[in-house]
Amino acid sequence: MIDPDSIPHIGQMVRIMKGRDAGGVACIIQIEDSRFVYIADGDKRKVDRSKKKNVNHLHLFDFISPEVKNSIEQTGRVTNAKLRFAISTFMNDYNFLMEGE
């Protein structure tokens, strides 16, 4: 897998540490530069209204959703439903990460 402290990747799951959505889980859908990314969760934060976040305000999990990554690489976009599915799968499969932090 990837080093959680490394650079962010498309499809990577993150926990929001600062701001209104603090404590929530989202997915990186676009990388602006080494400092800023765009995140969405497909529910409260839809793809068409993604949030620009400073990487320092996010906890990067050691998990990249293959569905989200492949969709963005192949079509240039991802659906809200696919994001919701990827996040719920991550939360169910990697629940120990959420409880252990």
Side-chain angles (χ1 to χ4, degrees):
M1 286 301 230
I2 57 171
D3 178 10
D5 296 324
S6 68
I7 59 171
H9 298 275
I10 297 289
Q12 188 170 10
M13 295 297 164
V14 299
R15 172 172 289 154
I16 304 163
M17 304 304 286
K18 302 269 186 181
R20 178 177 294 183
D21 300 326
V25 175
C27 185
I28 297 175
I29 61 169
Q30 183 182 342
I31 298 173
E32 183 169 293
D33 54 31
S34 62
R35 192 166 166 207
F36 290 100
V37 296
Y38 287 87
I39 61 170
D41 65 9
D43 184 26
K44 293 179 186 140
R45 181 63 66 182
K46 306 276 189 196
V47 173
D48 58 343
R49 295 190 44 89
S50 58
K51 177 71 177 169
K52 182 178 179 179
K53 290 294 278 186
N54 186 325
V55 175
N56 294 331
H57 296 170
L58 301 172
H59 171 81
L60 304 176
F61 286 112
D62 188 19
F63 178 81
I64 296 175
S65 169
E67 297 90 0
V68 174
K69 182 177 188 260
N70 292 339
S71 178
I72 291 174
E73 285 177 352
Q74 292 172 2
T75 66
R77 61 185 307 272
V78 65
T79 64
N80 290 314
K82 197 169 282 192
L83 274 179
R84 288 191 302 269
F85 173 77
I87 290 171
S88 69
T89 301
F90 169 73
M91 299 276 277
N92 290 335
D93 292 352
Y94 294 86
N95 197 26
F96 63 91
L97 286 175
M98 308 307 282
E99 293 170 356
E101 291 184 336

